[in-house]
Amino acid sequence: MSFLILLIKGFLIGIAFIIPGVSGGTLAMYLGVYQELLDSIGNILKDFKKSVKFLFPIFLGIGISIVALAKLLSLLLNWNSFIILFFFIGLIIGGIKHIYKKSQAEKITISMAIAFIISFGLLLALVILGKASPDNGIDYFTFNFWTYLLLIGLGALASITMIVPGISGSAVLLVLGFYTAIVSNVVGNIFDFTSIWYNIQVIVPFAVGALIGIVIFSKLLGEALRKFPKETYFAILGFIIMSAIGVFLEIKDPTTAAEFSDQLPIYENLIIFIGDHIWSVVGGIIAFVGGYIGSIYMTKLDKEVNKQ
């Protein structure tokens, strides 16, 4: 693939790192770069030149996307998360059939069902934990040795969830209470040069941890796909299907507060919200269809890559 195409795909994958509940791994799989991404990261020491040639434009695109769109997407979520997140729900659901076909399962075995149930249950527990937590987390860090160690650990954890399709690194940061401190107040204000030293102290250890997590876990997941492909794809399906539910639970009523983080979730009064915001619902349905169609076209790219 050309540098520009990989750059664009990386840019699209980067959007998932910003939106709560959306997985970068899912978009990478739909775009046809997932397997090569795992192989390139896992074999970076063995075949450094080839791996870097593939990885550089991907990660450059991800970085550009995060820096360029973090503030914009934050504003869009403040404006109307129903429309924005329904687009991503359509994007997630549109590729489920494609992932099932990739498993090449002629019939569902007990081991596949168990893999699906475990992954679905793990993500369900993560979502419930996040919704049940009374603590909204922290807004800013106070730096010391343990803070840097924490940021490295958070980077490693977030990178692992970004590699696994269906699990969102941003959602995990939300559950743990660090989404605002890292994504909103650092990535979203990356061009605020008055706080550049603070931003660097957050980004650098977080990036180091992310690099460690990506290298280690991509190797493990790549081996799982080679040795237990059907079970691994069914586990991925469990994560992806539950992630669509998780994204829905992130939708909030924009009339309850100016900031997305302060708004009330619509699932608490869903029927009332639908009745009072009919045009948002119509817009959400249109966005869902757009995301679904977009996903279908994206998965065609994966099919073309596999044919080649």
Side-chain angles (χ1 to χ4, degrees):
M1 281 183 253
S2 70
F3 184 93
L4 182 59
I5 291 174
L6 289 174
L7 184 72
I8 293 171
K9 289 185 177 185
F11 186 89
L12 294 173
I13 294 168
I15 296 173
F17 291 87
I18 308 166
I19 300 294
V22 182
S23 164
T26 301
L27 296 188
M29 185 167 282
Y30 291 178
L31 287 166
V33 296
Y34 186 72
Q35 187 63 58
E36 191 169 355
L37 189 64
L38 292 181
D39 292 340
S40 295
I41 295 171
N43 297 317
I44 193 165
L45 296 178
K46 188 183 297 183
D47 197 346
F48 183 79
K49 186 176 180 180
K50 182 181 178 182
S51 295
V52 170
K53 185 178 179 180
F54 176 80
L55 293 173
F56 178 71
I58 290 283
F59 282 100
L60 179 61
I62 290 172
I64 293 172
S65 178
I66 292 172
V67 171
L69 299 181
K71 196 67 176 180
L72 173 62
L73 289 174
S74 176
L75 292 172
L76 290 174
L77 287 174
N78 291 342
W79 166 67
N80 196 314
S81 59
F82 191 96
I83 294 175
I84 302 304
L85 294 183
F86 251 76
F87 171 82
F88 286 99
I89 291 172
L91 199 66
I92 293 168
I93 292 177
I96 289 175
K97 182 179 178 181
H98 173 68
I99 302 301
Y100 177 79
K101 286 183 176 180
K102 285 180 73 70
S103 72
Q104 297 181 343
E106 297 177 359
K107 63 178 182 177
I108 300 176
T109 64
I110 294 176
S111 61
M112 294 177 206
I114 291 173
F116 177 89
I117 292 169
I118 290 175
S119 63
F120 186 93
L122 283 173
L123 194 50
L124 175 62
L126 183 67
V127 170
I128 292 174
L129 181 63
K131 298 304 175 186
S133 175
D135 184 14
N136 291 323
I138 65 171
D139 293 334
Y140 295 96
F141 293 100
T142 301
F143 294 105
N144 54 46
F145 173 78
W146 298 110
T147 304
Y148 296 126
L149 205 60
L150 171 65
L151 285 166
I152 291 173
L154 288 172
L157 183 61
S159 72
I160 289 171
T161 60
M162 291 168 187
I163 289 172
V164 179
I167 305 184
S168 163
S170 57
V172 170
L173 292 178
L174 271 173
V175 171
L176 296 176
F178 295 103
Y179 182 83
T180 299
I182 294 175
V183 179
S184 300
N185 292 339
V186 174
V187 178
N189 295 307
I190 195 72
F191 292 115
D192 181 5
F193 296 110
T194 60
S195 56
I196 188 169
W197 176 237
Y198 175 88
N199 292 344
I200 288 173
Q201 288 184 90
V202 174
I203 291 172
V204 170
F206 188 85
V208 169
L211 181 62
I212 294 171
I214 287 172
V215 171
I216 294 175
F217 203 74
S218 62
K219 190 75 172 179
L220 295 175
L221 190 55
E223 286 299 311
L225 282 168
R226 275 185 282 272
K227 294 181 179 179
F228 311 102
K230 291 181 173 63
E231 288 79 6
T232 303
Y233 275 117
F234 266 76
I236 289 171
L237 276 174
F239 284 130
I240 289 176
I241 292 172
M242 183 56 221
S243 74
I245 300 172
V247 173
F248 175 80
L249 295 177
E250 292 295 331
I251 298 174
K252 298 180 181 180
D253 184 349
T255 62
T256 56
E259 297 291 326
F260 174 73
S261 58
D262 299 326
Q263 294 168 5
L264 298 177
I266 67 168
Y267 66 80
E268 294 181 354
N269 296 288
L270 182 59
I271 302 301
I272 295 174
F273 177 86
I274 293 174
D276 292 344
H277 301 82
I278 187 65
W279 289 113
S280 289
V281 173
V282 171
I285 292 172
I286 294 172
F288 176 89
V289 173
Y292 188 93
I293 293 172
S295 182
I296 298 299
Y297 278 100
M298 286 169 65
T299 54
K300 285 182 179 179
L301 294 174
D302 189 21
K303 292 177 183 176
E304 291 175 4
V305 169
N306 288 332
K307 287 179 181 178
Q308 292 173 3

